[in-house]
Amino acid sequence: MGRMHETPGHLRRPAHDTAPPTALTIAGSDSGGSAGMHADLRAFFSCGVHGMTAVTAVTVQNTVGVTGLVEIPPETVAAQIGAVATDIGVDAAKTGVLSSATTIEAVLAACDEHGIGRGRRTPFVVDPVAASRSGEPLLRPDALDALRDEAFPRATLVTPNLDEVRLLTGIDARSRDDLLDAAKAVHDFGPDWVLIKSGHLLDDPKCVDLLFDGTDAIQLPGPRYSTVHTHGAGDVFASAITAALAKGASMPDAVAAGKRFVTRSVEHAYPLGAGVGPVSTFWRVSPRSL
Ligand SMILES: Nc1ncnc2c1ncn2[C@@H]1O[C@H](COP(=O)(O)OP(=O)(O)O)[C@@H](O)[C@H]1O
Ligand SMILES: Cc1ncc(COP(=O)(O)O)c(N)n1
């Protein structure tokens, strides 16, 4: 096998003969290209890591809504994780749509087998995606319990938005002052770190997210842009954090880098279709550079 990688003496050496860090997203696809694994891969690319996928579900989706979801067999999801972990290696992993308890069990078993998770070699970011921006549920009712009881205790970081906080804890956060109570309640489910996202506090003039490790809380201030085009914001945030973790950043540094990335992504969000457009994952690339 080694011979495949040898460069014959008469050819130029490629510019890169060392690999970039690698990140894996275990998530659903979005046919509209705005959210899910499509957004994750673009954010990984923009943040300079090699992105890989274990597809959990295929959604029929555009900027207006989600009209279909087909689950990938759990053993195929687990096999995708195994295929990339045993050959390529995973420096950090994240989850998106995990639509059933059976899928969650298969994902967690594969992660356990390959050293992905809290206290293991590979950091594991669990984004408990429950619904799309347009409101359609993206998981079965049993998946929420499995996320909370099985996935959260194995997570290095969990990243709920305020709707997900309400579903998971019953806490209805209405202002910045409520975020610490929300973070404490989610931390009790067992992850190392909790990041509460504040995008849904529409009356707040800023977007101040909160990172909590069970003892200390760190505020992550950012501006609030006046845009409806925030499809994929949470996915891009979790992916940018995962990319920074893949490069070896500490959790506070990774989350700060992710916040800077998602803020610029929202700043450059664009209208698309008749509904909610995506945040931009390529604001670092000038449209005139091609
Ligand atoms: N209008 C906005 N302007 C700037 N940042 C935003 C805006 N809306 C959301 N964000 C940021 O995007 C990230 C994702 O937040 P949120 O919308 O709460 O999550 P989700 O996409 O999972 O619903 C957070 O850092 C949040 O502060
Ligand atoms: C496949 C998939 N994964 C995740 C989301 C959540 O993203 P958003 O909350 O921005 O709709 C989505 N809509 N589709």
Side-chain angles (χ1 to χ4, degrees), residues 127 129 133 159-164 195-202 206-209 220 222-227 230-235 237 258-259 262-263 266-267 279:
D127 187 9
V129 177
R133 254 301 175 284
T159 61
N161 66 25
L162 293 183
D163 291 340
E164 291 149 1
L195 172 63
I196 306 286
K197 297 175 293 187
S198 64
H200 298 211
L201 292 177
L202 296 178
K206 290 188 184 291
C207 283
V208 185
D209 307 329
L220 296 138
R224 178 178 295 274
Y225 291 101
S226 163
T227 177
T230 54
H231 202 184
D235 315 65
F237 193 9
K259 177 69 176 174
V262 74
T263 299
V266 177
E267 180 186 359
V279 301

Side-chain angles (χ1 to χ4, degrees), residues 74-205:
E75 58 275 18
T76 307
V77 179
Q80 293 173 80
I81 297 170
V84 300
T86 52
D87 174 39
I88 300 167
V90 182
D91 292 321
K94 76 167 282 279
T95 64
V97 168
L98 298 175
S99 46
S100 71
T102 337
T103 297
I104 292 168
E105 278 159 26
V107 165
L108 294 176
C111 287
D112 279 352
E113 188 180 341
H114 299 292
I116 300 169
R118 183 172 156 256
R120 313 290 297 278
R121 179 169 35 79
T122 303
F124 188 40
V125 176
V126 173
D127 187 9
V129 177
S132 71
R133 254 301 175 284
S134 34
E136 295 87 5
L138 293 169
L139 41 70
R140 297 169 190 265
D142 66 353
L144 208 59
D145 291 343
L147 271 175
R148 186 186 50 220
D149 300 339
E150 307 295 335
F152 280 19
R154 285 161 154 117
T156 319
L157 171 71
V158 298
T159 61
N161 66 25
L162 293 183
D163 291 340
E164 291 149 1
V165 165
R166 195 174 310 111
L167 286 170
L168 290 159
T169 69
I171 294 176
D172 187 15
R174 299 286 180 94
S175 82
R176 229 183 270 177
D177 298 337
D178 300 330
L179 299 190
L180 185 56
D181 282 345
K184 285 180 177 164
V186 177
H187 193 267
D188 283 345
F189 297 134
D192 279 337
W193 297 83
V194 176
L195 172 63
I196 306 286
K197 297 175 293 187
S198 64
H200 298 211
L201 292 177
L202 296 178
D203 293 336
D204 194 319

Side-chain angles (χ1 to χ4, degrees), residues 43-99:
F44 288 162
F45 160 80
S46 270
C47 295
V49 303
H50 175 82
M52 307 177 291
T53 56
V55 185
T56 56
V58 174
T59 71
V60 181
Q61 184 169 177
N62 58 23
T63 67
V64 180
V66 181
T67 54
L69 186 151
V70 176
E71 291 173 282
I72 303 298
E75 58 275 18
T76 307
V77 179
Q80 293 173 80
I81 297 170
V84 300
T86 52
D87 174 39
I88 300 167
V90 182
D91 292 321
K94 76 167 282 279
T95 64
V97 168
L98 298 175
S99 46

Side-chain angles (χ1 to χ4, degrees), residues 236-289:
V236 165
F237 193 9
S239 295
I241 294 168
T242 305
L245 292 172
K247 295 177 189 172
S250 68
M251 187 59 75
D253 286 352
V255 172
K259 177 69 176 174
R260 286 193 296 274
F261 188 84
V262 74
T263 299
R264 296 299 299 276
S265 301
V266 177
E267 180 186 359
H268 291 267
Y270 46 93
L272 207 65
V276 176
V279 301
S280 168
T281 34
F282 45 88
W283 48 265
R284 282 183 174 136
V285 182
S286 158
R288 283 183 289 276
S289 68

